[in-house]
């Protein structure tokens, strides 16, 4: 499809395991964002990519969280040694240029549950 | 203290009723966005307001940006079950990523 695609849609894993979440942005969009949404809450910014570079990593909650983007396309968010407080929906968004006037288009998220 | 305070947190109304939800801050913003998020989906942009005092209409939804550009409201006329969802306001604080309020969860009963 033409929208932002995220996989998997759901992930259940045991505490202490590592997980990888994938985001395929809209083709041609240079800006990509990761957000976290805890149950019943708004969205919490994690990291922003412009091209393959991440000028703003300030939202990553700990050094267990990392992300990369390749080919100015796909991005992967990795959480190492998962904890129960990592349970949330992880949302990815992309925009055409990353300027504030450009709307962000969201995927449907990955629902992560840590047992 | 959150940058954006949304109220009410929850709202359950009957089909056909009118409602208003609010997004307030003590900070001034160059623009403000409203999103709607349905269960299991990502947020979808409804509108961006830019000018103080601006009013924008999207069918039965009316959005207003405060004169001082610190707050905004969303008014829904004759709510329908399809309006059910989480309404989020968001601003760009200069870091490119959006800062969101915690949202108003609206349930419209048929």
């Amino acid at each position: 499809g033409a929208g932002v695609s995220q996989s998997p849609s759901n992930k259940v894993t045991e505490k202490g395991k590592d997980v990888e979440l994938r985001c395929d942005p809209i083709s041609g969009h240079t800006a990509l964002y990761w957000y976290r949404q805890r149950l019943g809450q708004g969205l919490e910014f994690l990291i922003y990519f412009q091209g393959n570079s991440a000028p703003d990593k300030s939202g990553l909650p700990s050094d267990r969280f990392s992300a990369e983007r390749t080919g100015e396309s796909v991005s992967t968010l990795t959480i190492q040694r998962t904890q129960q407080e990592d349970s949330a929906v992880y949302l990815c968004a992309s925009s055409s240029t990353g300027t504030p006037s450009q709307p962000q288009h969201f995927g449907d998220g990955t629902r992560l549950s840590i047992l | 203290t959150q940058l954006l305070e949304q109220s009410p947190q929850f709202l359950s109304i009957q089909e056909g009723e009118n409602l208003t939800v609010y997004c307030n801050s003590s900070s001034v913003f160059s623009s403000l966005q409203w999103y709607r998020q349905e269960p299991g989906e990502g947020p979808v942009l409804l509108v961006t307001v830019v000018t103080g005092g601006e009013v924008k209409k999207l069918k039965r939804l009316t959005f207003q940006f405060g004169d001082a550009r610190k707050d905004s409201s969303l008014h829904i006329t004759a709510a329908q079950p399809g309006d059910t969802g989480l309404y989020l306001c968001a601003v760009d604080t200069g870091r490119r990523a959006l800062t969101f309020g915690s949202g108003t969860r609206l349930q419209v009963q048929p």
Side-chain angles (χ1 to χ4, degrees), chain A residues 71-110:
Chain A
E72 299 196 356
S73 179
V74 173
S75 177
T76 302
L77 176 68
T78 301
I79 308 174
Q80 295 179 308
R81 305 181 302 282
T82 51
Q83 303 294 313
Q84 288 187 330
E85 63 262 27
D86 300 333
S87 295
V89 176
Y90 289 82
L91 289 157
C92 174
S94 70
S95 70
S96 58
T97 62
T99 54
S101 62
Q102 293 298 318
Q104 295 186 18
H105 301 267
F106 285 83
D108 289 339
T110 293

Side-chain angles (χ1 to χ4, degrees), chain A residues 37 40-44, chain B residues 1-11 19-26 29 32-37 43-44 46-47 63-64 70-76 85-91 98-106:
Chain A
Q37 186 175 30
Q41 299 295 311
L43 280 67
E44 173 190 5
Chain B
T1 304
Q2 287 210 324
L3 180 65
L4 298 172
E5 297 285 346
Q6 290 194 244
S7 61
Q9 286 185 293
F10 303 98
L11 191 55
L19 67 119
T20 302
V21 299
Y22 301 91
C23 176
N24 295 308
S25 179
S26 57
F29 304 110
L32 185 145
Q33 301 179 359
W34 283 94
Y35 288 79
R36 179 169 65 211
Q37 184 178 22
V44 175
L46 296 174
V47 77
F63 303 85
Q64 183 161 10
K70 293 182 178 182
D71 49 69
S72 182
S73 63
L74 159 59
H75 181 80
I76 302 179
L86 179 66
Y87 288 82
L88 296 158
C89 62
V91 293
L98 295 171
T99 298
F100 285 82
S102 56
T104 291
R105 191 167 299 278
L106 173 65

Side-chain angles (χ1 to χ4, degrees), chain B residues 50-65:
Chain B
V50 177
T51 306
E54 181 177 6
V55 176
K56 282 192 172 179
K57 293 192 174 184
L58 185 65
K59 297 182 180 179
R60 294 174 293 98
L61 279 60
T62 302
F63 303 85
Q64 183 161 10
F65 201 15

